[in-house]
Amino acid sequence: MLESFIVPLLAATVQSGTPILYATLGEILTEKGGVLNLGVEGMMSMAAFAAFFVTLTTGNPWLGFIAGGIAGTFMAALHGIVCITCLGNQVVSGLALTILGVGLCNFLGTPYIGTATEGFDKFSFPVLSSLPYIGDIFFKQDALVYVSYLVPMLFMLFINRTSLGLAISAVGEKPAAAAAVGLKAIRLRWIALLGGGFFIGLGGSYLSLAYTHLWANGLSGGRGWIAVALVIFAFWRPGRAVFGAYLFGGVMAFQLRLQAVGTHIPSSLLLMLPYALTILVLIFSAMRGRSGNAPAHLGINIEPEG
């Protein structure tokens, strides 16, 4: 039971949680700067297609991976033009970004449905992969999973230990006070938004280059919305985002395993599990008052600097 079901399930949990983790970390950085971005789903969708198309064209999955990040940055820039430059409503802009991204990638990707491409295959990490159980779960994955083990720690160091990360957090809390001590609030918001967009794009890249190795419309499958909810669940902390991403990844992997082995539970109910968990997480966070720990100026536009 342990080796035939539990260990493969946990290994699949890590893989399923990885794109959510990249996207959640990107959204944490964005919101730390005070910008609310509800366009994560659309950004991941466009990034997944960009990564797929560049890899298909060049045969280099690393170029595709970076292209997905650039696509996410471009989509974030559209959000920034509306919200930071034009002072538009951040909620409306984010929803529009999701509609644009999902619709456009489906339009562009329809001719490529079912087309396979190069990607990132799993391989055994030297030495560590031989550890009992732990090796099978964590160290027989693809390169992007191994990278994701380091990213949350780098995020924590950046946000809590670097002058730029602390400045971004200050702008998200009290932009007027930050500006009073000489910080460029608008510029810092742009840095947080574009940097976060890049990592959201990397999450989308993972879906087409490592999770599936082919193109299919609707590839993001609601993961962007899960990432937005996970930011609240994670308390805006990168370390907690790891736990949340793997929790949701585990639910996704579990429902797929149940469908594969055959069950009397309707498949529609199984597919609903990750999103039902999202609702429960939001209710739990609200009851615990975690939303009160959001950056104080989150979702509020600031006037251009004179």
Side-chain angles (χ1 to χ4, degrees), residues 89-102:
N89 186 285
Q90 296 184 19
V91 173
V92 174
S93 175
L95 294 175
L97 200 64
T98 286
I99 296 170
L100 172 65
V102 173

Side-chain angles (χ1 to χ4, degrees), residues 148-305:
S148 75
Y149 295 157
L150 301 175
V151 173
M153 292 184 287
L154 296 177
F155 256 74
M156 285 189 287
L157 291 174
F158 173 75
I159 292 173
N160 299 318
R161 293 289 184 268
T162 68
S163 58
L164 179 58
L166 292 171
I168 288 173
S169 297
V171 168
E173 293 291 343
K174 295 182 178 180
V181 297
L183 297 178
K184 301 293 185 181
I186 297 293
R187 183 183 302 171
L188 289 167
R189 276 201 163 184
W190 271 110
I191 291 172
L193 177 62
L194 297 179
F198 183 79
F199 279 93
I200 292 170
L202 296 185
S205 297
Y206 187 88
L207 293 173
S208 56
L209 298 183
Y211 196 70
T212 62
H213 289 250
L214 54 80
W215 179 254
N217 286 345
L219 201 56
S220 56
R223 290 175 177 83
W225 295 113
I226 291 174
V228 172
L230 266 184
V231 174
I232 302 172
F233 176 77
F235 217 171
W236 287 266
R237 296 179 180 176
R240 296 192 182 191
V242 177
F243 171 75
Y246 288 162
L247 174 63
F248 279 90
V251 174
M252 288 184 166
F254 182 65
Q255 59 95 2
L256 289 174
R257 286 292 192 279
L258 285 181
Q259 292 185 61
V261 301
T263 177
H264 296 297
I265 302 175
S267 60
S268 56
L269 290 179
L270 294 175
L271 291 171
M272 184 183 71
L273 286 177
Y275 313 108
L277 180 60
T278 302
I279 296 173
L280 292 176
V281 162
L282 290 175
I283 294 173
F284 174 77
S285 299
M287 292 175 63
R288 293 289 299 272
R290 291 190 174 188
S291 58
N293 294 281
H297 224 261
L298 177 62
I300 303 173
N301 292 327
I302 55 180
E303 295 294 330
E305 300 161 358

Side-chain angles (χ1 to χ4, degrees), residues 45-46 48-50 52 105-106 108-117 208 212-219:
S45 298
M46 280 303 301
F49 178 75
F52 164 82
C105 86
N106 286 347
L108 296 174
T110 295
Y112 299 98
I113 291 177
T115 302
T117 186
S208 56
T212 62
H213 289 250
L214 54 80
W215 179 254
N217 286 345
L219 201 56

Side-chain angles (χ1 to χ4, degrees), residues 11 14 125 133-141 145-146 149 246:
V14 173
F125 199 88
Y133 303 127
I134 297 296
D136 291 329
I137 295 170
F138 293 103
F139 298 107
K140 291 184 178 179
Q141 302 283 356
V145 172
Y146 298 139
Y149 295 157
Y246 288 162

